[in-house]
Amino acid sequence: MKEYSKGIYVKFKPQEVEMIHERMKEAGVQNMSAFIRKMALNGYLINLRWPDLSKVLSLHSRISNNLNQYSKKANETGNIYREDIAELKEMHAEQTKLLRKTLKSVIHLYDVDLRKRN
């Protein structure tokens, strides 16, 4: 555990404390000191628990791996199978669909945050 030796004490209005709790809940954070420290130093907090984004990254890894294997096979044998190409196209279509869904979520969060600030 990190050792923190300097303290800065800040007072909040009750409604501000409630807002901090709401933001912590949205971010999935339970430690208020860590949350306030992160917000004070960086100005934002990124919640990395997005199942759709994890699926996109997993698919990307699988597609890259398969492409490398198919390229190696094509270089060794001089040909590639239609099934291999169909599989790549299917995985690419799924990845594109998930990526669009994830990006829409990010844009939505940005819009919601922008509306809250205005």
Side-chain angles (χ1 to χ4, degrees), residues 14 17 80 88 112:
V17 173
I80 188 168
L88 274 175
V112 167

Side-chain angles (χ1 to χ4, degrees), residues 21-35:
H21 283 291
E22 287 174 22
R23 292 234 170 165
M24 287 173 57
K25 187 175 181 180
E26 288 172 6
V29 176
Q30 294 180 1
N31 184 323
M32 185 180 280
S33 292
F35 179 77

